[in-house]
Amino acid sequence: MANTGFLSLCAYGRVTGLAVEAGAGVSHATSICLGQTWREATYCLGVAGGFLSNYLHSLLMESPNDPSVLKALKKKTVIQLKKQCCYVSMDYEGDLYDRGFHHPARFQVPDGQWITLDKERFCCPEPLFQPKLVHQSSPGLHHLALQSLQKVPDHARRDTVGNIVLSGGSSMFPGFPERMCLELNALFHGTGCQIQVLASPERGTAAWAGGSMAASLTSFQHAWMAKAEYQEHGAEYVHKMFQ
């Protein structure tokens, strides 16, 4: 059993840092120090890939595209549409109200029909930074990252701030790393701290890659729990074994 934030750090070759995860089902900001997760410095956002796919579909239903084509879209097609066409804006409000900054894209659905995306391209991922757009009261992922860092003890904060890593499929939107960096630097303005984020091209599967790396370590071979042990003692035994 391992925290996905820690595994994401492992994929970047680090054991201390802040993992900003935007996955399929949930998004997290998690601070880790020397392999130990700070539970009080872990924050969750209910906006992630699956949610954004549904949001994109609802946005398209309000667009000028043929409603019959949109209603017939399967979930798999919407996900493909999201991955292929959507991106994160560097200036959401400015782009939203100035059509000159819209960059329409066309997408052919399996039955041969075409869909045109306009502002939907950058509106889709925006709830990661502005959950209020989808009526969620949570702060954006960048604010959660700041809150996580503020919970880290002073002696570990410098190393944590210096190792901010991105992971998860929803971090793969073009512009996501740049926007995260922009927002964090705005939050840290006046502190004299210049924030940088690490964004591996393979960050979409960083947690999986980190898990593979951790499981291959010699030291990890003594940390297994046998299936029989789990069946005998139940789920609570996990916390006793790996506290």
Side-chain angles (χ1 to χ4, degrees):
M1 301 292 289
N3 180 275
T4 56
F6 168 64
L7 297 182
S8 295
L9 273 181
C10 287
Y12 284 84
R14 289 159 171 78
V15 293
T16 294
L18 170 69
V20 180
E21 304 172 86
V26 70
S27 298
H28 289 101
T30 309
S31 289
I32 297 101
C33 182
L34 297 176
Q36 297 298 312
T37 301
W38 296 97
R39 293 196 178 187
E40 65 275 18
T42 299
Y43 292 90
C44 175
L45 174 64
V47 176
F51 187 99
L52 294 177
S53 296
N54 294 334
Y55 183 52
L56 175 59
H57 195 199
S58 67
L59 290 171
L60 287 171
M61 290 301 296
E62 300 174 1
S63 73
N65 289 284
D66 185 342
S68 63
V69 176
L70 298 174
K71 289 179 181 179
L73 289 177
K74 294 183 178 181
K75 184 175 182 179
K76 181 179 180 180
T77 303
V78 175
I79 293 173
Q80 183 182 359
L81 181 62
K82 178 187 68 176
K83 291 181 177 180
Q84 184 172 319
C85 298
C86 292
Y87 65 92
V88 173
S89 169
M90 294 298 104
D91 179 11
Y92 175 74
E93 299 297 334
D95 288 353
L96 189 62
Y97 294 108
D98 189 340
R99 293 188 61 85
F101 287 97
H102 294 191
H103 305 287
R106 299 188 74 212
F107 180 89
Q108 188 174 28
V109 298
D111 67 0
Q113 303 265 19
W114 288 88
I115 294 175
T116 299
L117 289 84
D118 191 69
K119 64 182 181 180
E120 298 82 16
R121 296 187 68 196
F122 60 85
C123 285
C124 170
E126 188 61 24
L128 289 168
F129 298 92
Q130 297 194 66
K132 65 182 181 181
L133 293 173
V134 289
H135 310 294
Q136 290 198 18
S137 59
S138 170
L141 194 50
H142 57 299
H143 280 285
L144 296 183
L146 174 64
Q147 290 179 20
S148 180
L149 289 170
Q150 290 174 332
K151 289 284 188 177
V152 174
D154 292 342
H155 71 273
R157 189 168 300 154
R158 181 183 294 273
D159 288 339
T160 307
V161 171
N163 293 288
I164 300 176
V165 306
L166 303 183
S167 71
S170 295
S171 75
M172 295 298 292
F173 285 112
F176 183 90
E178 293 82 1
R179 174 72 177 276
M180 182 60 67
C181 190
L182 180 71
E183 296 287 1
L184 286 175
N185 275 297
L187 293 174
F188 276 82
H189 180 70
T191 65
C193 183
Q194 183 67 28
I195 302 296
Q196 293 184 334
V197 297
L198 302 176
S200 165
E202 290 79 37
R203 63 186 179 276
T205 55
W208 182 91
S212 177
M213 293 166 62
S216 68
L217 297 174
T218 303
S219 58
F220 189 80
Q221 307 312 310
H222 304 289
W224 296 102
M225 174 189 287
K227 180 180 179 181
E229 291 179 286
Y230 182 86
Q231 291 176 331
E232 178 181 354
H233 301 285
E236 285 300 315
Y237 195 58
V238 174
H239 300 288
K240 182 179 178 180
M241 286 283 292
F242 303 114
Q243 60 183 352

